[in-house]
Amino acid sequence: MASTSTVKRLREAEESPNWLELPDELMANILKRLGDVEILNSAVKVCTTWRRIGRDPAMWKVINMHIPARAWNTNYDLVALTKQAVHLSSGELIDISLEGFGTDDDFQHCLTIK
């Protein structure tokens, strides 16, 4: 016979929503709130659904590259992450904002993407 705590956990699991069943547009909206650096560096590594959404060019029409305040001590290669984001945009890039890193030469290819 199952204990009361086991039965309670099973009921809670049955009642919990399956977050992977959310529509892609809603999931993309949630992921965008993380910030572009965190999406590229962390979120796309969580599961195949997040990786698929993170590779969608619609996610990268607007790129805002900056290090989140809580991650200042982390060594991010922002130039490489920015190039990756521009590549993922597949020519749909509308706006890009870069904060405190890189040179004009680093991002010259951003101007040539069609």
Side-chain angles (χ1 to χ4, degrees):
M1 179 173 257
S3 70
T4 305
S5 62
T6 303
V7 171
K8 182 178 178 184
R9 276 186 265 138
L10 288 172
R11 282 188 190 140
E12 288 173 355
E14 290 173 359
E15 295 171 3
S16 297
N18 184 348
W19 298 106
L20 295 177
E21 293 178 358
L22 289 173
D24 284 357
E25 296 80 18
L26 183 56
M27 187 75 71
N29 184 294
I30 292 168
L31 287 178
K32 260 315 207 186
R33 293 167 193 267
L34 292 174
D36 293 344
V37 172
E38 290 173 317
I39 292 169
L40 292 169
N41 210 45
S42 303
V44 295
K45 299 174 185 176
V46 170
C47 65
T48 55
T49 300
W50 287 13
R51 183 175 20 254
R52 180 177 43 77
I53 292 169
R55 290 182 177 168
D56 182 356
M59 285 284 290
W60 305 105
K61 286 183 176 185
V62 176
I63 298 172
N64 294 303
M65 297 302 289
H66 66 280
I67 298 177
R70 61 185 169 281
W72 281 345
N73 294 329
T74 307
N75 292 325
Y76 289 119
D77 184 348
L78 292 177
V79 172
L81 290 174
T82 302
K83 289 178 180 180
Q84 181 182 359
V86 170
H87 174 75
L88 288 169
S89 75
S90 298
E92 294 186 25
L93 183 62
I94 296 170
D95 188 32
I96 187 167
S97 173
L98 311 173
E99 188 176 311
F101 68 96
T103 65
D104 289 345
D105 290 338
D106 289 334
F107 304 111
Q108 185 61 37
H109 77 283
C110 295
L111 302 174
T112 60
I113 293 193
K114 297 180 181 176

